[in-house]
Structures are given as structure tokens and as C-alpha cells.
Amino acid sequence: MATKEERDYLSQYVDIASCHLNDSDVDLLMRFIDSVGNRYIEEDSFDSWSSDGKYTRNSVTEYIIESDYSLTRNSSYQDDDGASGNYSENITNARDIINVLREKPNLL
């Protein structure tokens, strides 16, 4: 269990209100606040079907640890039939940040 000092330190940077943090969570958040500016990019391509037939979708998702100690996820896609889209999300809650860091360890 995280000590009061560790929780106090983390709360200066990340919203940990009402979060139960185990030792692993604390370690991830400590590494997170020391990793401002880190970026991780995932690229994917897959074939799928629509009513118009087969198409190929290329997608890119970028994760950025921001200077305000939040995590930004930018996603975009481009289909070979011309369709495209993008989405951006800013993650500030400690539990949500921990979940992303566990899924994307290369970000740290």
C-alpha cells in the first residue's frame, strides 16, 4: 500500500482522489510523472467489409505524456475508399492513466 508521503507527492501532479493505489500503481505513477514529453505511436492496418465491399483501414494512435501530467491519446484512421476520422482524448484521472500505462508499457 502506498504511504501517505507517496500519495501526497503524487497528488501534486495527478488526480488520485478516491483511488486505491497498490505498490505497482504507485511505481507506475512515479515513472509517469518523470516521463513528461514521452510519446508512443501505434500503427495498424487491417481489411474489413462494408456494404460497398472490402476496404483497408490504416490507423494511427499516439500517446503523449503532457507537461500538465495528463495523458493525451490522439487516434486517426484513413480508409482506402477515402473515409477518414480522428479523435483526441485527455486523460487526467490516476486510475485511467494507470490502465493505459499497463496496456502501453513502451510509453514510459
Side-chain angles (χ1 to χ4, degrees):
M1 178 75 88
T3 67
K4 181 178 179 353
E5 292 80 19
E6 289 170 324
R7 290 180 69 84
D8 288 345
Y9 178 76
L10 287 173
S11 69
Q12 297 174 45
Y13 304 99
V14 181
D15 176 15
I16 62 169
S18 69
C19 280
H20 174 77
L21 300 175
N22 62 34
D23 292 340
S24 174
D25 297 337
V26 169
D27 179 56
L28 276 176
L29 289 175
M30 291 291 206
R31 291 173 51 205
F32 171 77
I33 62 176
D34 289 335
S35 300
V36 168
N38 282 13
R39 295 174 182 265
Y40 175 67
I41 298 175
E42 286 183 327
E43 296 183 35
D44 191 22
S45 180
F46 61 91
D47 294 329
S48 191
W49 292 89
S50 71
S51 59
D52 294 330
K54 184 177 175 182
Y55 67 92
T56 300
R57 173 166 289 182
N58 297 305
S59 65
V60 176
T61 304
E62 177 183 36
Y63 299 87
I64 307 166
I65 300 176
E66 303 289 355
S67 60
D68 65 355
Y69 304 99
S70 66
L71 181 60
T72 299
R73 176 178 21 219
N74 298 314
S75 301
S76 64
Y77 71 89
Q78 177 74 44
D79 294 347
D80 63 354
D81 66 0
S84 63
N86 58 56
Y87 174 75
S88 185
E89 175 184 22
N90 187 260
I91 303 166
T92 59
N93 178 276
R95 181 56 52 201
D96 295 335
I97 290 170
I98 290 166
N99 290 339
V100 171
L101 294 176
R102 285 202 170 121
E103 291 175 16
K104 312 297 178 197
N106 292 335
L107 182 55
L108 296 176

